[in-house]
Amino acid sequence: MRIGIIGGGPAGMMCAIKAGENHEVALFEKNEKLGKKLFITGKGRCNLTNYTDEKDFMKNLVRNPSFMFSSIYSFSPFTTYYYFEDLGLPLKVERGNRVFPASDKSSDVIKTYEKKLRQVGVEVRLNTEVTSIKKDGETFILNDREKFDKVVIASGGISYKLTGSTGDGYKFGKEFGHKIIEPKPGLIAGLSLKNVELRVEKDKKVISKEFGEMLFTHRGISGPIVLTTSSKINRLNDFELYLDLKPALSKEKLDNRILRDFEDNQNKNIENVMRNLLPRDLIAYVLDSAKIPGDKKINQITKEEREELVKTIKNFKLIFASLDDIDRAIVTSGGIDVKDIDPKTMESKIVPGLYFIGEVIDIDGLTGGFNIQIANSTGYSCGINL
């Protein structure tokens, strides 16, 4: 067969490798190189997968986890790890089971894909944009001139547009009658905070709680726990965000700690004493939220004010305005509706011979290597089926 694959990200490359073992494959990439988005993931180190079993992996998927059941068992995170090591790419596992190349260079991951593509004879076409897909009988025609027996759309979402993710796959899917779930920012990429807890509440119920690092930026908040939370709340309305600045301390222990600080500094201003407990840049905001003047002497602080201070530190309220612009998102949440795709083969249920893989589909996971694994697993399942 002659197969055309649109998009040279991890999904497209993996699919091309597997399909290329038995068929004539052309891989179209609009950029000047393959894996452009892959190159910048994991701060340039490429978090290739998460070293965990299939069951745990599924728990980290935010949208349509059941759709991934077949492909993740076909090409699991463990399989991915040893597949790339067998191809000559040494890997390492870091905190949170995140897998990175031992060299810490995302370029080494891309080189590994490229080497295998060459070995199986895939024709890689860089700087080549597919602007149209038409079907004539059982044949697909790309750009009104080239004919293919099967076409795979692996063009990504609409996040990080500079890497070429401009929503082409949604346009093609729509033209062929596929429903598009509205794309939202999935994982969105100052003052840095460690060991804090970000909590989401809706109707007085806790619906998300993430512990770890975050940072304040000129646009809002970001960092690992914010990225994870953003994936969980991107389709919610009317919720509240709270930051626990001292999650390791109960209210009672925090109160005792503050009392000790107060007893040792009776004649000092509270804003100076709080430096033992909180980052300097945050103190004014916390005191303002607790309605305590920063220049108030410790010996003038009432019990009620101290209790309000404890409450504020444990429940520092953040006003949610919006998610960051989708151009800065790491992953697109939304895309081609999974109801119209066969989860075992990735083939369209509407148009035989048309396939969708990777981020263009309405599936996404949390930060930590899960989304690149989705790309590799769906690409592998599609390639094997082809």
Side-chain angles (χ1 to χ4, degrees):
M1 285 191 301
R2 193 154 191 258
I3 299 163
I5 299 174
I6 303 164
M13 289 190 286
M14 180 58 74
C15 181
I17 287 165
K18 298 318 291 179
E21 290 171 357
N22 297 293
H23 302 291
E24 185 187 333
V25 175
L27 178 61
F28 295 85
E29 171 52 55
K30 65 163 73 167
N31 289 306
E32 74 287 355
K33 59 186 175 185
L34 294 171
K36 197 163 184 181
K37 189 170 170 186
L38 205 59
F39 188 74
I40 58 175
T41 60
K43 295 179 181 174
R45 298 197 300 141
C46 186
N47 185 185
L48 183 61
T49 186
N50 194 284
Y51 198 73
T52 188
D53 62 24
E54 296 90 339
K55 209 172 176 182
D56 263 356
F57 182 87
M58 301 291 274
K59 290 175 187 171
N60 285 275
L61 300 189
V62 182
R63 299 279 299 165
N64 301 309
S66 58
F67 179 85
M68 284 297 299
F69 189 87
S70 178
S71 60
I72 208 66
Y73 274 89
S74 296
F75 197 69
S76 71
F78 292 149
T79 308
T80 302
Y81 185 96
Y82 294 109
Y83 179 82
F84 279 91
E85 285 227 316
D86 286 346
L87 291 179
L89 178 70
L91 299 172
K92 61 179 176 179
V93 182
E94 295 188 0
R95 180 179 56 83
N97 295 324
R98 295 167 189 235
V99 175
F100 293 93
S103 65
D104 281 332
K105 292 178 182 173
S106 57
S107 56
D108 287 346
V109 177
I110 298 163
K111 283 173 189 168
T112 306
Y113 280 108
E114 289 173 331
K115 184 181 173 186
K116 190 64 179 171
L117 286 165
R118 283 194 300 272
Q119 282 176 0
V120 299
V122 171
E123 183 190 350
V124 177
R125 304 214 197 151
L126 302 175
N127 298 303
T128 308
E129 183 175 358
V130 174
T131 55
S132 70
I133 307 173
K134 290 173 184 171
K135 196 174 187 195
D136 181 13
E138 292 188 2
T139 303
F140 291 89
I141 305 167
L142 301 191
N143 293 342
D144 294 322
R145 63 176 184 270
E146 283 200 79
K147 294 182 179 180
F148 292 91
D149 300 298
K150 310 274 186 182
V151 167
V152 182
I153 295 175
S155 51
I158 53 172
S159 56
Y160 275 141
K161 287 184 180 172
L162 290 174
T163 63
S165 299
T166 51
D168 299 345
Y170 304 146
K171 183 192 83 168
F172 297 139
K174 208 169 181 181
E175 286 171 357
F176 281 108
H178 278 267
K179 181 183 175 185
I180 312 298
I181 305 300
E182 184 194 356
K184 301 265 189 182
L187 302 173
I188 304 170
L191 170 63
S192 182
L193 301 177
K194 291 184 178 179
N195 303 320
V196 294
E197 186 179 88
L198 186 62
R199 190 172 76 252
V200 182
E201 290 186 12
K202 185 174 173 66
D203 302 326
K204 304 293 181 188
K205 288 181 183 173
V206 176
I207 57 172
S208 172
K209 200 188 278 187
E210 296 297 328
F211 173 84
E213 297 177 28
M214 65 163 279
L215 58 109
F216 289 91
T217 72
H218 68 292
R219 301 184 61 87
I221 55 172
S222 187
I225 63 173
V226 178
L227 298 180
T228 300
T229 300
S230 73
S231 284
K232 294 181 177 180
I233 56 97
N234 61 20
R235 293 179 191 276
L236 286 181
N237 296 310
D238 305 321
F239 56 85
E240 294 180 320
L241 276 176
Y242 295 97
L243 193 56
D244 185 345
L245 296 163
K246 293 292 172 184
L249 299 176
S250 65
K251 283 184 179 179
E252 294 71 30
K253 285 183 178 176
L254 178 58
D255 189 38
N256 289 335
R257 161 76 195 273
I258 290 172
L259 264 174
R260 284 199 307 274
D261 285 350
F262 280 9
E263 285 166 4
D264 295 339
N265 299 280
Q266 285 287 314
N267 297 312
K268 290 185 179 177
N269 292 348
I270 188 169
E271 62 188 359
N272 295 327
V273 177
M274 292 303 293
R275 289 179 188 177
N276 298 327
L277 192 65
L278 297 172
R280 182 181 298 190
D281 293 342
L282 205 55
I283 292 169
Y285 294 101
V286 171
L287 292 176
D288 184 59
S289 185
K291 297 183 170 57
I292 303 171
D295 59 357
K296 193 167 186 177
K297 302 292 183 190
I298 293 296
N299 57 24
Q300 296 174 337
I301 301 290
T302 65
K303 183 188 176 187
E304 288 73 27
E305 284 177 320
R306 195 185 77 241
E307 287 173 351
E308 189 61 31
L309 180 60
V310 169
K311 184 180 168 186
T312 301
I313 291 170
K314 296 291 288 178
N315 299 278
F316 186 66
K317 190 168 183 179
L318 300 168
I319 307 301
F320 178 79
S322 71
L323 295 170
D324 201 353
D325 190 282
I326 200 157
D327 283 356
R328 274 178 291 277
I330 298 170
V331 168
T332 307
S333 170
I336 306 292
D337 194 339
V338 297
K339 289 174 187 165
D340 295 325
I341 303 171
D342 184 328
K344 290 189 174 122
T345 65
M346 304 296 140
E347 186 173 17
S348 165
K349 292 177 182 176
I350 298 171
V351 184
L354 183 66
Y355 298 75
F356 296 93
I357 56 174
E359 197 185 344
V360 74
I361 308 173
D362 182 24
I363 327 166
D364 63 281
L366 300 177
T367 182
F370 299 101
N371 290 289
I372 296 177
Q373 182 63 52
I374 289 171
N376 275 313
S377 291
T378 55
Y380 180 89
S381 291
C382 181
I384 286 290
N385 175 259
L386 287 165

